[in-house]
Amino acid sequence: MDPTNCDFSPMKQTLKEELLQVIISLQQSVEAMDTNTNCLLGNFEKIKEKFVTIEMKAATFYLNCYLSPFTEKYPELSHCVQNMSKRRHGGLIVIEREDTVASIIQPGIHIGAEVTHSLLESHVC
């Protein structure tokens, strides 16, 4: 990663604040167990969603930091990876850096399309 392009301080602060909110939610759930007879599954689902949101923010930041020195298409790649992850789909994306990948890729059909997350996510079943 290029540390000059990636200041981790704001991201760390955001993650700390959001994690503290999750801790408060967990504490409230623990307290509710003693005083409330309602089912806590809804609270757990909300807490789980908060964790997923925090994870996605951090993953997007680090992915963008890592890819930005090698391609200007990192926002599209990040969006694609997030969408595929949500659908639990796998994929292989290769970003050429110092070493050429020409010897290990098979020639395909050049379609002359702009790289977008939609194009990257498309597949033939």
Side-chain angles (χ1 to χ4, degrees), residues 75-85 93 117 120-121:
E76 290 84 358
L77 292 169
S78 178
H79 193 179
C80 168
V81 169
Q82 286 179 33
N83 289 341
M84 290 175 65
S85 175
I93 300 172
H117 72 89
L120 292 169
E121 294 170 45

Side-chain angles (χ1 to χ4, degrees), residues 92-120:
L92 176 63
I93 300 172
V94 177
I95 306 296
E96 187 173 72
R97 298 186 311 176
E98 291 87 21
D99 297 331
T100 181
V101 295
S103 63
I104 58 172
I105 60 174
Q106 301 274 331
I109 299 170
H110 181 72
I111 60 173
E114 180 73 22
V115 174
T116 65
H117 72 89
S118 298
L119 178 64
L120 292 169

Side-chain angles (χ1 to χ4, degrees), residues 15-125:
L15 293 177
K16 283 181 186 179
E17 291 169 5
E18 292 185 11
L19 285 171
L20 287 172
Q21 290 174 0
V22 168
I23 290 169
I24 290 169
S25 296
L26 287 169
Q27 288 173 333
Q28 290 171 344
S29 293
V30 169
E31 292 168 5
M33 291 175 72
D34 292 332
T35 59
N36 197 343
T37 58
N38 293 336
C39 180
L40 295 174
L41 292 177
N43 292 351
F44 295 151
E45 186 64 28
K46 289 177 186 173
I47 292 168
K48 184 176 109 178
E49 288 172 8
K50 287 180 185 179
F51 268 121
V52 169
T53 300
I54 292 168
E55 180 185 27
M56 290 302 257
K57 284 181 183 179
T60 298
F61 177 79
Y62 290 114
L63 182 64
N64 289 347
C65 265
Y66 181 74
L67 291 176
S68 63
F70 306 107
T71 178
E72 60 190 38
K73 297 297 183 177
Y74 62 90
E76 290 84 358
L77 292 169
S78 178
H79 193 179
C80 168
V81 169
Q82 286 179 33
N83 289 341
M84 290 175 65
S85 175
K86 286 177 189 173
R87 290 190 312 265
R88 302 185 61 83
H89 289 180
L92 176 63
I93 300 172
V94 177
I95 306 296
E96 187 173 72
R97 298 186 311 176
E98 291 87 21
D99 297 331
T100 181
V101 295
S103 63
I104 58 172
I105 60 174
Q106 301 274 331
I109 299 170
H110 181 72
I111 60 173
E114 180 73 22
V115 174
T116 65
H117 72 89
S118 298
L119 178 64
L120 292 169
E121 294 170 45
S122 65
H123 63 280
V124 177
C125 295

